[in-house]
């Protein structure tokens, strides 16, 4: 299938805050594929959505009347049908990058545990879990064979598409009460540089709406978590 054909009938069924939707949107932008976005409320899933999403999750990419679900599968499909290539050509390196994509999903789960932590002790523990993940990433970045702002060096790839949404959470979280005390980023210069490069990438910027930060703050305030209580205490 050519890029022209693939681009002629693409609809990305989305939730406004979903990081997995964002990674697909980033890949679509990187490949220059036109697409429509159809946003739903996952708390009130419409019947038509449940009919096309067997797991009841976003994203779903509708392609010429057929529906693909699961972000990793969608990204691999887009890699097969449209340029530019975002995976390494070497099979071993390609497999390694796919493994780090899975690592990115694990980091997202860790972030979920952090913002849902019910009390301060658990919040502190989940923050240490997060920092441990970031330390692992720092070590991986330090092993790059060529310098550059992205995961593999000078070229943007699939792993970058996965971590753009990961780091975007912290554009909001880092501004919340007491975050400096958690020292999530201390001593991690390569992670910080990577984060900044991804934040500056047009495809990453375009993957969310202008109201993303406001929506994330509202979501975090409503969680009833330790982080929510910190936010309410400042607003009081």
């Amino acid at each position: 299938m050519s890029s022209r054909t693939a681009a002629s009938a693409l609809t990305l069924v989305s939730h406004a805050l979903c990081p997995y939707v964002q990674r697909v949107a980033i890949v679509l932008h990187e490949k220059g594929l036109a697409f429509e976005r159809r946003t739903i409320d996952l708390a009130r899933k419409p019947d038509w959505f449940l009919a096309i999403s067997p797991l009841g999750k976003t994203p779903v990419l509708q392609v010429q009347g057929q529906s693909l679900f699961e972000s990793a599968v969608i990204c691999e499909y887009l890699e097969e049908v449209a340029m530019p290539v975002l995976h390494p050509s070497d099979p071993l390196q390609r497999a390694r990058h796919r493994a780090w994509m899975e690592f990115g999903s694990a980091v997202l789960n860790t972030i979920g545990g952090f913002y849902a932590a019910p009390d301060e002790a658990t919040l502190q523990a989940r923050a240490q879990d997060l920092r441990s993940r970031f330390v692992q990433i720092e070590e991986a970045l330090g092993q790059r064979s060529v310098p550059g702002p992205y995961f593999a060096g000078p070229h943007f790839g699939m792993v970058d598409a996965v971590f753009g949404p990961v780091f975007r959470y912290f554009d909001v979280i880092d501004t919340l009460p007491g975050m400096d005390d958690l020292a999530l980023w201390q001593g991690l210069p390569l992670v910080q540089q990577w984060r900044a490069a991804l934040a500056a990438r047009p495809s990453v910027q375009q993957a969310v709406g202008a109201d993303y930060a406001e929506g994330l703050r509202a979501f975090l305030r409503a969680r009833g978590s330790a982080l929510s209580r910190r936010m309410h205490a400042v607003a009081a």
Side-chain angles (χ1 to χ4, degrees):
M1 181 183 295
S2 70
S3 296
R4 183 182 299 275
T5 302
S8 63
L10 296 178
T11 299
L12 181 59
V13 184
S14 308
H15 179 272
L17 299 180
C18 178
Y20 296 96
V21 168
Q22 291 177 49
R23 68 172 63 166
V24 173
I26 291 167
V27 171
L28 286 164
H29 285 303
E30 287 291 332
K31 291 179 177 290
L33 296 174
F35 65 98
E36 296 181 8
R37 200 155 185 163
R38 189 172 185 183
T39 301
I40 66 162
D41 181 353
L42 287 174
R44 301 174 181 81
K45 299 172 185 175
D47 291 340
W48 65 263
F49 172 70
L50 294 173
I52 64 172
S53 179
L55 298 176
K57 300 190 299 185
T58 55
V60 172
L61 186 69
Q62 295 180 293
V63 185
Q64 298 179 340
Q66 300 188 58
S67 298
L68 299 177
F69 60 98
E70 286 299 298
S71 64
V73 173
I74 296 170
C75 288
E76 293 295 342
Y77 165 75
L78 294 172
E79 181 73 347
E80 290 184 4
V81 302
M83 298 292 285
V85 171
L86 297 178
H87 271 317
S89 58
D90 177 73
L92 179 59
Q93 291 305 312
R94 189 160 62 247
R96 180 174 174 269
H97 280 217
R98 287 180 172 134
W100 279 101
M101 292 171 69
E102 287 299 311
F103 187 91
S105 296
V107 176
L108 287 172
N109 290 335
T110 307
I111 292 171
F114 172 77
Y115 65 61
D119 53 58
E120 282 292 325
T122 306
L123 183 71
Q124 297 282 341
R126 296 294 80 79
Q128 288 307 305
D129 293 342
L130 269 176
R131 177 165 171 79
S132 295
R133 296 295 193 191
F134 295 152
V135 169
Q136 289 176 282
I137 297 168
E138 182 80 10
E139 293 170 351
L141 293 173
Q143 296 169 5
R144 286 176 293 196
S145 58
V146 291
Y150 301 118
F151 181 76
H155 302 297
F156 186 96
M158 281 289 187
V159 179
D160 300 291
V162 167
F163 276 88
V166 169
F167 293 134
R168 194 195 311 274
Y169 272 106
F170 296 93
D171 294 345
V172 170
I173 290 174
D174 283 351
T175 68
L176 301 181
M179 288 302 106
D180 288 345
D181 296 339
L182 299 178
L184 291 176
W185 311 103
Q186 185 175 342
L188 302 176
L190 298 179
V191 172
Q192 288 280 53
Q193 291 165 16
W194 187 30
R195 176 184 175 185
L198 294 179
R201 188 84 177 183
S203 63
V204 175
Q205 295 173 351
Q206 296 163 8
V208 297
D211 59 349
Y212 170 83
E214 179 183 348
L216 180 57
R217 287 190 188 94
F219 170 80
L220 295 174
R221 279 195 299 268
R223 294 294 298 176
S225 65
L227 197 60
S228 306
R229 288 190 288 276
R230 286 189 178 202
M231 297 173 73
H232 287 296
V234 171

